[in-house]
Amino acid sequence: MKMTTNLTHIATEVEFEPALNEDELKAAFERHGIPGFPAELDIAERTEDHVQMMALESLLEFAKANGVGAVTYDVTYFPHADDAEVAYQLRQLAHDLEISAEVIRDVCADEIREYLALDAKRNADLPVHSIVEAYVGGTAFAWYGMNEYPRLKRVILSKLAKGGQKAKRSFIDRASKAQVELLEDY
């Protein structure tokens, strides 16, 4: 959902189209007569407020109508999660929650196993994200396709959200206890 502080705008929900692989993107470019070139596009930057998000077909027609000679694209695949991916996501979550990653690993062992089981069922041959971008008059216009994939943060936080305040208190108590035990080891 997009929120704004400007009261003349209405918050709108953004629905992403499914991610496309490189061949599917090239076919779309060919249908619209616009060449596409691979680039390393930053996913976070593509979803910023200053980037105008459009549906793929609309983006390509808009780019063509404005004389854009080519677009850039990026397709991202994720291999199945392993210990390194779990460690990476735990560091991010630890930063967000201001709790050490070791505490989260200790307290949320079941959720980590659930995440790994969910990810093992995902088809790693499908792209997770794909992005197409064009610049018109100095403004970035982008299409962002996304296929669902499990994220450790979502699994852990959804468990907390389902349990309400009781789960939140339990999580905080367990995390605090684990943190104290961790400090006692030193």
Side-chain angles (χ1 to χ4, degrees), residues 12 18 20 63 81 131 153 156 172:
T12 57
L20 300 176
I131 302 167
K153 181 177 182 176
I156 290 173
I172 291 169

Side-chain angles (χ1 to χ4, degrees), residues 90 94 99-107 178 182:
L90 284 178
I99 299 173
S100 81
E102 291 80 15
V103 170
I104 296 172
R105 184 181 289 277
D106 182 52
V107 172
L182 184 67

Side-chain angles (χ1 to χ4, degrees), residues 111 114 152-164:
E111 287 77 9
E114 179 183 340
L152 183 56
K153 181 177 182 176
R154 281 189 216 148
V155 172
I156 290 173
L157 294 180
S158 71
K159 293 290 182 186
L160 291 177
K162 287 178 186 171

Side-chain angles (χ1 to χ4, degrees), residues 10-173:
I10 297 172
T12 57
E13 188 172 324
V14 176
E15 292 185 27
F16 293 110
E17 295 175 13
L20 300 176
N21 65 36
E22 192 169 6
D23 290 338
E24 292 167 323
L25 287 175
K26 286 180 178 180
F29 302 153
E30 189 174 310
R31 279 193 311 274
H32 293 276
I34 298 176
F37 295 92
E40 290 189 27
L41 302 175
D42 185 340
I43 293 164
E45 285 184 11
R46 300 291 79 71
T47 55
E48 297 272 331
D49 288 337
H50 66 276
V51 176
Q52 301 298 308
M53 301 294 289
M54 299 179 77
L56 181 59
E57 298 296 318
S58 296
L59 171 66
L60 296 175
E61 282 300 310
F62 176 78
K64 185 176 179 180
N66 280 282
V68 172
V71 294
T72 56
Y73 69 92
D74 188 24
V75 179
T76 302
Y77 294 85
F78 289 162
H80 288 293
D82 57 12
D83 288 334
E85 177 63 19
V86 168
Y88 172 76
Q89 289 192 45
L90 284 178
R91 281 192 304 274
Q92 288 183 315
L93 184 57
H95 178 268
D96 293 346
L97 297 177
E98 297 179 356
I99 299 173
S100 81
E102 291 80 15
V103 170
I104 296 172
R105 184 181 289 277
D106 182 52
V107 172
C108 299
D110 292 340
E111 287 77 9
I112 292 169
R113 280 191 292 279
E114 179 183 340
Y115 160 72
L116 290 169
L118 283 171
D119 189 68
K121 294 175 186 173
R122 176 181 57 86
N123 182 351
D125 293 330
L126 289 177
V128 175
H129 304 117
S130 49
I131 302 167
V132 176
E133 183 177 79
Y135 280 86
V136 175
T139 300
F141 292 85
W143 169 80
Y144 181 64
M146 184 174 78
N147 289 326
E148 277 300 312
Y149 63 98
R151 299 289 293 175
L152 183 56
K153 181 177 182 176
R154 281 189 216 148
V155 172
I156 290 173
L157 294 180
S158 71
K159 293 290 182 186
L160 291 177
K162 287 178 186 171
Q165 289 300 315
K166 182 178 177 185
K168 184 178 178 182
R169 278 192 303 277
S170 173
F171 179 81
I172 291 169
D173 289 345

